[in-house]
Amino acid sequence: MTVTINCDMGEAYGIYRLGDDEACMPYVTHVNIACGFHASDPMVMWKTVAAAKRHGLKIGAHPGLADREGFGRREIKLSRKEVAALVLYQVGALQAFLDAEDIPMSHIKPHGALFGMAQKNEAVANGIADAALALKLPVIGYANCVMSDVFTQRGVEFSCEFYADLDYDGEGRQVITMTHDPVAPEAAAQKVMRAIREGKTRALDGKDVSVVADTICVHSDTPGAVAVAKAVHAAVKDQLAH
């Protein structure tokens, strides 16, 4: 079995920074770059694209809800067409910077609440699928939910994500919080290896839940993110696909 490691990046704005993106880059294979709605701006996007290019990483778009104050982690009611439009708009913006650097777009990974909404709402999942199919891009998604059902039915290529640094609820869903708590690097690495080998992780209620770990996410805004990314990379390096 092979896996990839992805990291959400470019989540800054003007003089404000969140996470040490470039320090994490040696320990990931794919980056998901914010496209201006939940975070980022044109200069941040271009700088992040250029840095990822220097490190030889796959670059994908990280479209989110139009909610900078809530960092895209608060739900907003949207129609299927609105979801498709906001994804197309944001991916198109990032595509311009990739064209300027002469590198291809690798994938789409919905951000935050948009990602969570798509796991349980058919209209949201279909809106993302509409955009992905129009752009002919694969999606980083989630297993055993409405999103995976819709993507499978519609022929959207997708990989299923597991979070090294987030908690899971009793339904096997990631718990989306406004800020990320620190995690021990060694514990994160062990958690990832169990998810890969057994397809299980321990939920907040103390029970094991089923997960799929095609790609591992480490967040650059988690305190101690570089150490977490380094530990996860070391644990899975023999199984990495590039």
Side-chain angles (χ1 to χ4, degrees):
M1 179 179 178
T2 59
V3 297
T4 60
I5 305 174
N6 75 84
C7 187
D8 306 338
M9 295 189 175
E11 293 177 322
Y13 186 76
I15 65 170
Y16 302 101
R17 294 291 177 267
L18 187 66
D20 192 344
D21 288 353
E22 193 153 9
C24 289
M25 287 184 179
Y27 308 111
V28 304
T29 59
H30 293 60
V31 299
N32 322 301
I33 298 180
C35 304
F37 274 35
H38 75 279
S40 205
D41 61 38
M43 285 302 297
V44 170
M45 291 168 71
W46 203 349
K47 288 178 181 178
T48 310
V49 166
K53 180 182 179 181
R54 289 195 299 274
H55 286 267
L57 303 177
K58 301 287 188 182
I59 300 174
H62 196 38
L65 299 175
D67 178 24
R68 277 209 187 106
E69 290 81 2
F71 200 67
R73 290 175 177 161
R74 302 182 293 192
E75 292 192 1
I76 297 174
K77 188 174 182 178
L78 295 170
S79 69
R80 172 175 171 172
K81 196 74 171 180
E82 288 172 323
V83 170
L86 74 85
V87 173
L88 287 168
Y89 186 93
Q90 292 177 78
V91 177
L94 184 66
Q95 184 66 63
F97 295 110
L98 293 177
D99 289 347
E101 295 291 338
D102 194 29
I103 45 180
M105 181 82 73
S106 167
H107 63 278
I108 300 168
K109 178 187 164 183
H111 165 80
L114 179 64
F115 193 103
M117 290 160 61
Q119 293 177 36
K120 57 190 178 184
N121 185 305
E122 282 192 11
V124 175
N126 272 301
I128 294 169
D130 291 340
L133 290 170
L135 296 166
K136 298 179 175 61
L137 287 171
V139 180
I140 291 179
Y142 205 82
N144 306 316
C145 64
V146 169
M147 178 194 290
S148 56
D149 290 344
V150 167
F151 287 0
T152 299
Q153 291 164 8
R154 299 192 58 195
V156 176
E157 181 183 349
F158 70 102
S159 56
C160 296
E161 182 170 60
F162 178 76
Y163 295 85
D165 49 12
L166 292 186
D167 290 323
Y168 282 75
D169 65 21
E171 296 182 349
R173 305 280 178 260
Q174 81 279 26
V175 178
I176 299 172
T177 56
M178 289 298 290
T179 58
H180 292 163
D181 293 329
V183 297
E186 298 80 8
Q190 291 171 6
K191 175 180 171 181
V192 164
M193 291 309 298
R194 184 175 185 227
I196 292 171
R197 291 170 175 164
E198 301 178 26
K200 301 285 184 182
T201 197
R202 184 63 52 86
L204 287 171
D205 62 7
K207 298 177 181 177
D208 284 345
V209 291
S210 296
V211 293
V212 178
D214 299 325
T215 183
I216 309 303
C217 177
V218 293
H219 288 98
S220 64
D221 64 320
T222 297
V226 177
V228 172
K230 186 175 182 179
V232 169
H233 183 273
V236 305
K237 63 181 179 181
D238 292 336
Q239 296 168 276
L240 282 179
H242 296 276

